[in-house]
Amino acid sequence: MQLGVIGLGRMGQIVVDRVLAAGHDVVAFDLEPEAVATAADAGAEPADSILDLLERLGEDKRIWLMVPAGEAVDATLDELEGHLDGDDVVVDGGNSHYEDSVRRAQTCEGAYLDCGTSGGPAGAQLGFSLMVGGPEWAYEALEPAFDAVATGPAGHERMGPAGSGHYVKMVHNGVEYALMQAYGEGFELLHEGRYDLDLEDVASVWNNGAVIRSWLLELCEEAFREEGTDLGTVADRVEGGSTGTWTVQEGLEQEVPLPLIYTALGERFGSRADDGRFSRRLANRLRYGFGRHEVPRRE
Amino acid sequence: MQLGVIGLGRMGQIVVDRVLAAGHDVVAFDLEPEAVATAADAGAEPADSILDLLERLGEDKRIWLMVPAGEAVDATLDELEGHLDGDDVVVDGGNSHYEDSVRRAQTCEGAYLDCGTSGGPAGAQLGFSLMVGGPEWAYEALEPAFDAVATGPAGHERMGPAGSGHYVKMVHNGVEYALMQAYGEGFELLHEGRYDLDLEDVASVWNNGAVIRSWLLELCEEAFREEGTDLGTVADRVEGGSTGTWTVQEGLEQEVPLPLIYTALGERFGSRADDGRFSRRLANRLRYGFGRHEVPRRE
Amino acid sequence: MQLGVIGLGRMGQIVVDRVLAAGHDVVAFDLEPEAVATAADAGAEPADSILDLLERLGEDKRIWLMVPAGEAVDATLDELEGHLDGDDVVVDGGNSHYEDSVRRAQTCEGAYLDCGTSGGPAGAQLGFSLMVGGPEWAYEALEPAFDAVATGPAGHERMGPAGSGHYVKMVHNGVEYALMQAYGEGFELLHEGRYDLDLEDVASVWNNGAVIRSWLLELCEEAFREEGTDLGTVADRVEGGSTGTWTVQEGLEQEVPLPLIYTALGERFGSRADDGRFSRRLANRLRYGFGRHEVPRRE
Amino acid sequence: MQLGVIGLGRMGQIVVDRVLAAGHDVVAFDLEPEAVATAADAGAEPADSILDLLERLGEDKRIWLMVPAGEAVDATLDELEGHLDGDDVVVDGGNSHYEDSVRRAQTCEGAYLDCGTSGGPAGAQLGFSLMVGGPEWAYEALEPAFDAVATGPAGHERMGPAGSGHYVKMVHNGVEYALMQAYGEGFELLHEGRYDLDLEDVASVWNNGAVIRSWLLELCEEAFREEGTDLGTVADRVEGGSTGTWTVQEGLEQEVPLPLIYTALGERFGSRADDGRFSRRLANRLRYGFGRHEVPRRE
């Protein structure tokens, strides 16, 4: 098949490479000419504009967007407007909010597939996990590309109608926050606890047969191997949080309690309180108020 | 009545003052002669040793211990050993663990009352809330003293047998942690939120008729009045935690979930992580592991 | 002063009564004629429509809305449209979302005050706590009414510009959820714990001088007095949650962690899971998966 | 090598089978003669008492205990007392509390290895993850057995001195609780949420390349495949909790907050509240107290 790829950042380039490696044709475009050149070196047909990409694609266009979630997706779709018909298919492989995907599916002239993509840069070798929402026929039309980009046929699945792919990916990320924090609690306790442990050894033996073995635990093992058992100079301010926030918001709307995901998200928020947590500062003053405990002061 | 008071720190001195003000006699002892002199100035009969105090008390001794929880209580009880009989009553007004009180009640030659005391130094004027465990007759024998030390007859109550007074006080303190944190969350959100608010005004208007009005909220109001709406130089490292820890431990034994009390306690623990929270540092390394997000480094 | 009151439910009627008792004039309207008749019996001038109410008010109209948050407020404001000028003042005393209040303040022809009202039906005797947002002059113009409806001058305060009154009330309610849950945890532990306690006695002694004394704790005391120490037939499914949800959502936007408020809200959500919590059911199947623990089955 | 195995339940039998399969000799004992017969059928030398087992082992005895944690371990060690010397090694492969293991290591006449074992019955095929504490020489002496019982040489590791094996296993289990609950939250949201999803498909696509892939997620996939996407008749009352409780207790002692592990444990406790959660029932009465919300009643 022939696939147009718009957006050639780290993830987009992996899509290009894997689709090419599967024997398909790729037409590639990015706002950065250097990224297009890289794709061309890998074997893709370069396009110097979206219009150029559209012209290079034949009938029944299949276009994969790998641009940052948000305005970049809408801007790209605006440029595609007027150039697609009902036999064309657009895939959004980024981390869009599912409600945006529902809206875009309604207005896109072609069929629209929202495709949650998990696996990170490691997917370059292994392939990704793809959660796809949208019309059945469009999903089937893209299967050769999904087979190539995913870990294989088992690595992609149509979840349901428009938005469901990004919806499932949103929840995936919420769970991811909680899993990271769960391992973090365990290793923090081992680090602070009674024994002088080699945490790489702990992670390694757990990864070999223990109930809690996982890919994230393999990444923990790698972290301790590369940074040392005390994590060396790694700092504790944690950025990010948008997909976790979306997950919690959806939990509020569905009235489903998500205390672990919420707590994991809150840890990130709390890590960024540069002036100290106000609630703790108030607690200190209250402890003085009722018990005359000395108030600790900033220097 | 005549009351012996052992332990003349801030709280013990308040006991002396309030019992004297109610027209009773007090014999006072402390390891610090200056503290005894202060009590004597207030009208108490000074004792220069525990044996001396015992001699100055007549038949049917009533002795109030206001010494730090732990070894000091046992050391004092050791000194009383051999000098009490079954008509005497000892009150432990400190923050002892209820299991210690159960044990002490079993071995004390006199009747033993465990008396949880809440209200802090403000109780000097208002009187305290006293939660008492132990034999009914002993509780009744001490009622004149309890009336004086408490806010009045409504400010003390026999909870049940030995240990129940300190047990109820333990739970009181667990709840206190959670209440402080609950107000802290609200004020933190107001402080960080959309409006430029005067938090003293907020606390004041809430204290006048709002559902969440309370003494702790009055202390919040005082805090903002004295420190400013941004709490000035108050730092965010929170000490303490033993009674909260006991409460959570009892929740574990009774299999009663106490997530708010636990979270409030954990905030204190987390505030003391001088090298950064290990779990957050691991999260940063994992975010690099699966997403190649840049790892923040300590300087 | 003369005040028009629209909305004569339980809370609106209290507003009427308290404003009348302070010696002011009230014109009252409700969609239910019986409610208008009740207000008239209390001494208010009855109106049979909003237009009628507007005609009965003189220049510089002051109108207090006490209608359910949401569409009822907008419907009432629609009816007022075209009949107000810049010297008139409308107060929304209901539980509106602060963003709605910001929007309404922008479109209302008169000045608009959003007034968070706390204290519940008990405010009939005590007066309420009123948190007001909007223009300073309008707040001052309404002060006689606020003095009457609140616990007095200390029971109302201008928080800031439009929306700030309902914003502070929203956070108040979030804190309220957490306080209720904090007391609930403590009493649940006492109820399940080691001693056979009279929880009314516990609440009573705490309310007399203890650090955690509060109005909510007085309501706990009342609850145990009226329902018994085991709360009799009271069921455990908890409804409500909108203002708590708003508070958590705002915490997400401001990136302020609110774990206690979130957990308290989640308890309500979880209490309504009629078919059992899915997460627990999955846990049971996983325990079979890795440990061959027997799977409990529904009958 | 020759290994004595005491305790031939499901896990002990797997130990026997795997050690035999690796070409070693096994002497097997259990209080149940049938279990001994099963081991004999598999190729082990049967013993009809612990003394008999000791006699059948040569010099430098290596004995693996696979009996329930607690009194059964102490009872077995009591029987071994007087029959071991410093060249002998005892392995406790059960779920003992690490403090018990420290104590036992001090009193055992032979060397004592505490061995946390993870992997469950699935380890029959795959082998287990073994976390071992105790003297280095004893660990090395048992390596052939560990190689056989574990997934291989990578599946066992000496963590440190006495107790460290069961300590690391304890924390492993705490993390396990939180991971289960994290997946549970995600699937609960998907189950209750906006889309009609096939949760087996979701788990399957996640297990193929997604960041959150893991063995527990494979068990989720199996659960949905075998029970259906709504988990069929699986009930929501979750038993167990001792190792999670130990982990939280250790967090309290080390002052390390473990909110996810705590919350996951609390979910189990809460699932067993047959009469409804007292805290929620109190919340309902309080909502009546301040807001006159109708009190739901049990039928």
Side-chain angles (χ1 to χ4, degrees):
Chain A
M1 74 178 294
Q2 187 197 37
L3 184 74
V5 178
I6 298 176
L8 301 170
R10 189 189 292 132
M11 292 293 280
Q13 212 80 49
I14 297 174
V15 169
V16 168
D17 291 344
R18 291 186 65 89
V19 171
L20 286 171
H24 305 298
D25 297 325
V26 171
V27 185
F29 173 70
D30 192 280
L31 292 171
E32 296 289 331
E34 285 180 34
V36 179
T38 302
D41 287 349
E45 182 180 344
D48 55 20
S49 70
I50 287 181
L51 281 183
D52 183 35
L53 177 137
L54 285 164
E55 281 168 17
R56 289 171 189 277
L57 295 175
E59 288 294 289
D60 298 349
K61 298 174 175 64
R62 280 84 181 88
I63 302 173
W64 190 301
L65 309 189
M66 214 65 175
V67 301
E71 292 174 16
V73 178
D74 284 318
T76 308
L77 291 174
D78 284 349
E79 288 206 56
L80 293 174
E81 200 176 325
H83 303 282
L84 300 178
D85 63 36
D87 295 326
D88 299 328
V89 182
V90 176
V91 179
D92 174 11
N95 243 339
S96 298
H97 194 286
Y98 76 95
E99 288 179 335
D100 289 331
S101 297
V102 171
R103 170 178 57 77
R104 288 162 185 157
Q106 283 164 347
T107 56
C108 183
E109 293 151 344
Y112 196 81
L113 295 173
D114 52 286
C115 174
T117 306
S118 181
Q125 280 77 50
L126 303 168
F128 297 105
S129 168
L130 302 178
M131 300 142 250
V132 187
E136 186 98 40
W137 74 263
Y139 172 71
E140 285 167 7
L142 265 289
E143 276 202 293
F146 290 146
D147 284 349
V149 175
T151 59
H156 60 92
E157 191 68 62
R158 180 178 173 268
M159 301 283 100
S164 62
H166 282 142
Y167 190 84
V168 172
K169 176 55 161 54
M170 172 186 80
V171 176
H172 168 281
N173 282 27
V175 173
E176 176 190 291
Y177 285 42
L179 298 181
M180 287 166 70
Q181 186 65 20
Y183 287 118
E185 288 186 1
F187 283 114
E188 183 165 323
L189 181 55
L190 293 175
H191 178 71
E192 309 287 339
R194 266 162 229 278
Y195 292 93
D196 184 25
L197 299 163
D198 181 321
L199 297 186
E200 184 193 342
D201 280 356
V202 172
S204 169
V205 76
W206 283 352
N207 272 322
N208 283 279
V211 170
I212 66 172
R213 64 188 183 267
S214 70
W215 190 55
L216 280 167
L217 189 57
E218 292 173 34
L219 295 177
C220 292
E221 187 179 340
E222 179 186 279
F224 295 123
R225 184 166 57 243
E226 297 183 1
E227 304 283 349
T229 197
D230 66 351
L231 291 177
T233 59
V234 181
D236 89 334
R237 178 190 176 94
V238 190
E239 301 296 340
S242 56
T243 49
T245 296
W246 298 345
T247 308
V248 172
Q249 285 169 330
E250 174 66 1
L252 291 172
E253 292 206 31
Q254 300 297 331
E255 304 194 348
V256 172
L258 307 171
L260 274 70
I261 296 173
Y262 184 84
T263 303
L265 177 64
E267 274 296 309
R268 296 197 186 186
F269 293 162
S271 80
R272 305 175 201 155
D274 295 323
D275 297 325
R277 295 288 308 278
F278 197 75
S279 51
R280 293 174 184 168
R281 298 170 61 217
L282 181 59
N284 275 327
R285 196 40 172 72
L286 293 180
R287 295 184 76 231
Y288 170 79
F290 62 71
R292 291 293 176 265
H293 301 281
E294 194 183 354
V295 179
R297 298 284 175 181
R298 294 164 165 176
E299 282 151 35
Chain B
M1 75 176 294
Q2 187 196 38
L3 184 74
V5 178
I6 299 175
L8 301 169
R10 189 190 292 134
M11 292 293 281
Q13 212 79 48
I14 297 174
V15 168
V16 169
D17 290 345
R18 291 186 65 89
V19 171
L20 287 171
H24 304 297
D25 297 325
V26 170
V27 184
F29 172 70
D30 193 281
L31 293 171
E32 296 289 331
E34 285 180 35
V36 179
T38 301
D41 287 348
E45 182 180 345
D48 54 20
S49 71
I50 287 181
L51 280 184
D52 183 33
L53 176 136
L54 285 164
E55 281 168 19
R56 290 171 189 275
L57 294 175
E59 288 293 288
D60 298 349
K61 299 173 177 62
R62 281 82 181 89
I63 302 173
W64 191 300
L65 310 188
M66 212 67 174
V67 301
E71 293 174 16
V73 179
D74 284 318
T76 308
L77 291 174
D78 283 350
E79 288 206 56
L80 294 174
E81 201 176 325
H83 303 283
L84 300 179
D85 64 35
D87 294 325
D88 300 328
V89 182
V90 176
V91 180
D92 175 9
N95 243 339
S96 298
H97 193 286
Y98 77 94
E99 289 179 334
D100 289 331
S101 297
V102 171
R103 170 178 56 78
R104 288 162 185 158
Q106 283 165 347
T107 56
C108 184
E109 294 151 343
Y112 195 81
L113 296 173
D114 52 288
C115 174
T117 305
S118 181
Q125 281 77 49
L126 302 168
F128 297 106
S129 168
L130 303 178
M131 299 142 251
V132 187
E136 186 99 40
W137 74 264
Y139 171 71
E140 285 166 9
L142 265 288
E143 276 203 294
F146 290 146
D147 285 349
V149 175
T151 59
H156 60 91
E157 191 68 64
R158 180 177 173 268
M159 302 285 100
S164 63
H166 282 143
Y167 189 84
V168 172
K169 176 57 163 50
M170 171 187 80
V171 176
H172 168 280
N173 283 26
V175 173
E176 176 190 291
Y177 285 41
L179 298 181
M180 288 167 68
Q181 186 66 19
Y183 287 118
E185 288 187 0
F187 283 113
E188 182 165 324
L189 181 54
L190 292 176
H191 178 71
E192 308 286 340
R194 266 162 228 279
Y195 292 93
D196 185 24
L197 299 163
D198 181 321
L199 296 186
E200 184 194 343
D201 280 356
V202 171
S204 170
V205 76
W206 283 352
N207 272 322
N208 283 279
V211 169
I212 66 173
R213 64 188 182 268
S214 70
W215 190 56
L216 280 167
L217 188 57
E218 291 172 34
L219 295 176
C220 292
E221 187 179 340
E222 180 186 280
F224 295 122
R225 184 166 57 246
E226 296 184 1
E227 304 283 350
T229 197
D230 66 351
L231 292 176
T233 60
V234 179
D236 89 334
R237 179 190 176 93
V238 189
E239 301 296 340
S242 57
T243 50
T245 295
W246 298 345
T247 308
V248 171
Q249 285 169 331
E250 174 66 2
L252 291 171
E253 291 205 31
Q254 300 298 330
E255 304 194 348
V256 171
L258 306 171
L260 275 69
I261 294 172
Y262 184 84
T263 302
L265 178 64
E267 275 295 309
R268 296 197 186 186
F269 292 162
S271 79
R272 304 175 202 153
D274 295 324
D275 297 326
R277 295 289 308 279
F278 197 75
S279 52
R280 293 174 183 168
R281 297 171 62 215
L282 181 58
N284 275 327
R285 197 39 173 71
L286 294 180
R287 295 184 77 231
Y288 171 79
F290 62 70
R292 291 292 176 266
H293 300 281
E294 195 184 352
V295 180
R297 297 286 174 180
R298 294 164 164 178
E299 281 150 36
Chain C
M1 74 177 294
Q2 187 196 37
L3 184 74
V5 177
I6 299 175
L8 301 170
R10 189 190 291 133
M11 292 292 282
Q13 212 80 48
I14 297 174
V15 168
V16 168
D17 290 344
R18 291 187 64 89
V19 171
L20 287 170
H24 304 297
D25 297 325
V26 170
V27 184
F29 173 70
D30 192 280
L31 292 171
E32 295 289 330
E34 284 180 35
V36 179
T38 302
D41 286 349
E45 182 180 344
D48 54 19
S49 70
I50 286 181
L51 281 183
D52 184 35
L53 176 139
L54 285 164
E55 279 167 20
R56 288 171 190 275
L57 295 175
E59 289 294 290
D60 299 349
K61 299 173 176 63
R62 281 84 181 88
I63 302 172
W64 190 301
L65 309 188
M66 214 65 175
V67 301
E71 292 174 17
V73 179
D74 284 318
T76 308
L77 291 174
D78 284 350
E79 287 206 55
L80 293 174
E81 201 176 325
H83 303 283
L84 300 178
D85 63 35
D87 295 325
D88 299 329
V89 182
V90 176
V91 180
D92 174 10
N95 242 340
S96 298
H97 193 286
Y98 76 94
E99 289 179 334
D100 288 332
S101 297
V102 170
R103 170 178 57 78
R104 289 163 184 157
Q106 283 165 347
T107 57
C108 184
E109 293 151 343
Y112 195 82
L113 295 173
D114 52 286
C115 174
T117 305
S118 181
Q125 281 77 51
L126 303 168
F128 296 106
S129 168
L130 303 178
M131 301 141 249
V132 187
E136 186 99 39
W137 75 263
Y139 172 71
E140 285 167 9
L142 264 289
E143 277 203 293
F146 290 146
D147 284 350
V149 175
T151 59
H156 59 92
E157 192 68 64
R158 180 176 173 268
M159 301 284 99
S164 62
H166 283 141
Y167 190 84
V168 172
K169 176 56 163 51
M170 172 186 79
V171 175
H172 168 281
N173 283 27
V175 173
E176 177 190 291
Y177 284 42
L179 298 181
M180 288 166 68
Q181 186 65 20
Y183 287 118
E185 288 186 0
F187 283 113
E188 183 165 323
L189 181 55
L190 292 175
H191 178 71
E192 309 287 339
R194 266 162 228 277
Y195 292 93
D196 185 23
L197 299 163
D198 181 321
L199 296 186
E200 183 193 342
D201 280 356
V202 172
S204 170
V205 76
W206 284 351
N207 272 321
N208 283 278
V211 169
I212 66 172
R213 64 188 182 269
S214 71
W215 190 55
L216 279 168
L217 188 57
E218 291 172 34
L219 295 176
C220 292
E221 187 180 341
E222 179 186 279
F224 295 122
R225 184 166 57 245
E226 296 184 0
E227 303 283 351
T229 197
D230 65 351
L231 291 177
T233 60
V234 180
D236 89 334
R237 179 191 176 93
V238 190
E239 301 295 339
S242 57
T243 50
T245 295
W246 298 346
T247 307
V248 172
Q249 285 169 331
E250 175 66 2
L252 291 172
E253 291 206 31
Q254 300 298 330
E255 304 194 348
V256 171
L258 306 171
L260 274 70
I261 296 172
Y262 184 84
T263 303
L265 178 64
E267 275 295 309
R268 296 197 186 187
F269 291 162
S271 79
R272 305 176 202 153
D274 295 323
D275 296 326
R277 295 289 307 279
F278 197 75
S279 52
R280 294 174 183 167
R281 297 170 62 216
L282 181 58
N284 275 327
R285 197 39 173 72
L286 294 179
R287 295 184 77 231
Y288 171 79
F290 62 71
R292 291 294 174 265
H293 300 281
E294 196 184 350
V295 180
R297 298 285 174 179
R298 294 164 165 178
E299 279 149 37
Chain D
M1 75 177 296
Q2 187 196 38
L3 184 73
V5 178
I6 299 176
L8 301 169
R10 190 190 291 133
M11 292 292 282
Q13 213 79 49
I14 297 174
V15 169
V16 168
D17 291 344
R18 291 187 65 89
V19 171
L20 287 170
H24 305 296
D25 296 325
V26 171
V27 183
F29 174 70
D30 191 280
L31 292 171
E32 295 290 330
E34 285 180 35
V36 179
T38 302
D41 287 349
E45 181 179 347
D48 55 20
S49 70
I50 286 180
L51 282 183
D52 183 35
L53 177 137
L54 285 164
E55 280 168 18
R56 290 170 189 276
L57 294 174
E59 289 294 289
D60 298 349
K61 300 173 176 63
R62 282 83 182 86
I63 302 174
W64 190 300
L65 310 189
M66 213 66 174
V67 301
E71 293 174 16
V73 179
D74 284 318
T76 308
L77 291 174
D78 284 350
E79 287 207 55
L80 294 174
E81 201 176 325
H83 303 282
L84 300 179
D85 63 36
D87 295 325
D88 298 329
V89 182
V90 175
V91 180
D92 175 9
N95 243 339
S96 297
H97 193 287
Y98 76 94
E99 289 178 334
D100 288 331
S101 298
V102 171
R103 169 177 58 77
R104 288 163 185 157
Q106 283 164 348
T107 57
C108 184
E109 294 151 343
Y112 195 81
L113 295 173
D114 51 288
C115 174
T117 305
S118 181
Q125 281 77 50
L126 302 168
F128 297 106
S129 167
L130 303 178
M131 300 142 250
V132 187
E136 186 98 40
W137 75 263
Y139 172 72
E140 285 166 8
L142 265 287
E143 276 203 293
F146 290 147
D147 284 349
V149 175
T151 58
H156 60 92
E157 190 69 63
R158 181 178 172 267
M159 302 283 100
S164 62
H166 282 143
Y167 190 84
V168 172
K169 176 55 162 52
M170 171 187 79
V171 176
H172 168 281
N173 282 27
V175 173
E176 177 189 292
Y177 285 41
L179 298 181
M180 288 166 68
Q181 186 65 21
Y183 287 118
E185 289 186 359
F187 283 114
E188 183 166 323
L189 182 55
L190 292 175
H191 178 71
E192 308 287 340
R194 266 162 228 279
Y195 293 93
D196 184 24
L197 298 163
D198 181 321
L199 296 186
E200 184 194 343
D201 280 355
V202 171
S204 170
V205 76
W206 284 351
N207 272 321
N208 282 279
V211 170
I212 65 173
R213 65 188 182 268
S214 71
W215 190 54
L216 280 168
L217 188 57
E218 291 173 35
L219 295 176
C220 291
E221 187 180 340
E222 179 185 280
F224 295 123
R225 183 165 57 244
E226 297 183 1
E227 303 283 350
T229 197
D230 66 351
L231 292 177
T233 60
V234 180
D236 88 335
R237 179 190 176 95
V238 190
E239 300 297 339
S242 57
T243 49
T245 295
W246 298 345
T247 307
V248 171
Q249 285 169 331
E250 174 66 3
L252 291 172
E253 292 206 32
Q254 301 297 331
E255 305 194 347
V256 171
L258 306 171
L260 274 70
I261 295 172
Y262 185 83
T263 302
L265 178 64
E267 276 295 309
R268 296 196 186 187
F269 292 162
S271 79
R272 304 175 202 154
D274 295 323
D275 297 326
R277 295 288 308 278
F278 197 75
S279 51
R280 294 174 183 167
R281 297 171 62 217
L282 181 58
N284 275 327
R285 197 40 174 72
L286 294 179
R287 295 184 77 231
Y288 170 79
F290 61 71
R292 291 294 176 265
H293 300 281
E294 195 184 353
V295 180
R297 298 285 175 180
R298 294 163 164 178
E299 281 149 38

